[in-house]
Amino acid sequence: MSVGTNAGLDRVRLPAAVSPLVAAELTGSPQRRRVLAAFPSCLYVELGAHERVLAVLASDAVLLPIGVRVAVPSSELHWGIEPGADIVVGEGRVCLPRVDVVATRPLRPGRVLPTAVGGGAAVPLPDAGVLGDLAHALTAAALAGRSVEPDVRGLVGAGRGLTPSGDDALCGVLLSLSAVESPDARRALASVRTVVRSVLPRTTSLSAALLVAAADGYAVPDVARLVTLLVGSGSTAPDLVERVLAIGHTSGRDLLAGVSGALRAVHDHASTSQEGARRA
């Protein structure tokens, strides 16, 4: 019998690991929260602000940085809840109709590691297409100190689904800039982050939450590892790329388009700066 389908009176207690990005709400006073979406491997729950979302994750779900994760696979789980329903979150637990997800240990979310840019200008990723070009234009403007508001607005909320394509690509830009250890990259990241936060109401709550996380360098572990590797060495592992491409319907591909475009701009900027230094 799947966890959560018991017909008796006893509630099931599922120990879980909780990310520090959502620990404050989970361990705080109990609050009624609305379920935004429900899937076999995860639930998305609002946390009182548009950009604050908790992902309740089965062990086989994509490990989002805003999650609380149980050690049970989706094939053995039954959440027993529908989108739009209210549940209680707080005092270290998520209270579902028949299941209590109880935070018992910390979860270390994936995060990029800032490093000096290495390798050549070519980024070994699938063709980035239009999203890559938009990400390149945004990153180039940020690195040059120009206004990024038009470029950010052109991406935020563009597309369909819980995480629109434009937002996925924008996450790629934010993660790429977070992974580059240089004063110009830090200034560029700050300017993009400021504009992104001002336009979060233009997209979904889940996507807004992931954009906020990406602005601080947090992502799915495979994504964080890949971006760090690309920035530091300019190379990657094919199996790592394939795992990222498999995220969601198109989310992984769209995110990598943003990474590809952003890193092209980073390399272009570095080349221009080096050329200017040689001429000085």
Side-chain angles (χ1 to χ4, degrees):
M1 178 167 56
S2 296
V3 175
T5 60
N6 56 309
L9 296 178
D10 292 341
R11 295 179 63 79
V12 176
R13 181 180 183 275
L14 291 179
V18 59
S19 165
L21 276 65
V22 290
E25 289 92 345
L26 193 58
T27 59
S29 61
Q31 301 288 335
R32 297 192 70 83
R33 301 300 189 190
R34 182 166 52 91
V35 176
L36 299 173
F39 302 96
S41 64
C42 61
L43 297 175
Y44 298 128
V45 183
E46 60 84 15
L47 291 177
H50 178 70
E51 73 282 3
R52 296 296 295 162
V53 173
L54 170 67
V56 185
L57 307 170
S59 62
D60 55 335
V62 174
L63 188 52
L64 299 179
I66 55 171
V68 55
R69 190 189 204 190
V70 301
V72 180
S74 58
S75 60
E76 299 177 16
L77 277 174
H78 179 69
W79 302 116
I81 200 79
E82 298 294 331
D86 286 341
I87 61 174
V88 175
V89 176
E91 292 186 338
R93 65 187 60 211
V94 179
C95 300
L96 302 173
R98 298 185 182 91
V99 174
D100 286 341
V101 175
V102 182
T104 59
R105 61 192 186 280
L107 173 69
R108 184 177 179 181
R111 195 176 194 182
V112 299
L113 300 176
T115 185
V117 176
V123 179
L125 293 175
D127 178 53
V130 174
L131 280 177
D133 292 340
L134 294 173
H136 179 274
L138 165 59
T139 309
L143 289 168
R146 302 193 302 270
S147 171
V148 298
E149 185 168 356
D151 300 287
V152 171
R153 285 183 172 273
L155 286 170
V156 169
R160 300 179 179 178
L162 287 172
T163 60
S165 294
D167 294 347
D168 292 329
L170 186 52
C171 280
V173 171
L174 291 165
L175 292 168
S176 297
L177 289 173
S178 296
V180 176
E181 182 57 70
S182 79
D184 286 352
R186 287 193 290 272
R187 285 191 292 268
L189 175 62
S191 69
V192 176
R193 180 194 288 129
T194 298
V195 178
V196 166
R197 286 186 175 274
S198 73
V199 295
L200 290 176
R202 294 166 60 97
T203 191
T204 68
S205 286
L206 175 61
S207 203
L210 295 175
L211 282 166
V212 170
D216 289 327
Y218 291 103
V220 172
D222 280 339
V223 171
R225 282 192 289 268
L226 178 57
V227 173
T228 300
L229 183 61
L230 284 167
V231 170
S233 67
S235 62
T236 187
D239 60 333
L240 190 54
V241 173
E242 290 304 315
R243 290 200 299 272
V244 173
L245 288 173
I247 295 174
H249 289 98
T250 62
S251 288
R253 182 171 294 277
D254 295 338
L255 187 146
L256 286 186
V259 171
S260 179
L263 292 185
R264 279 196 292 119
V266 167
H267 283 291
D268 290 347
H269 180 77
S271 297
T272 301
S273 298
Q274 290 169 2
E275 182 62 27
R278 282 195 296 268
R279 293 180 177 178

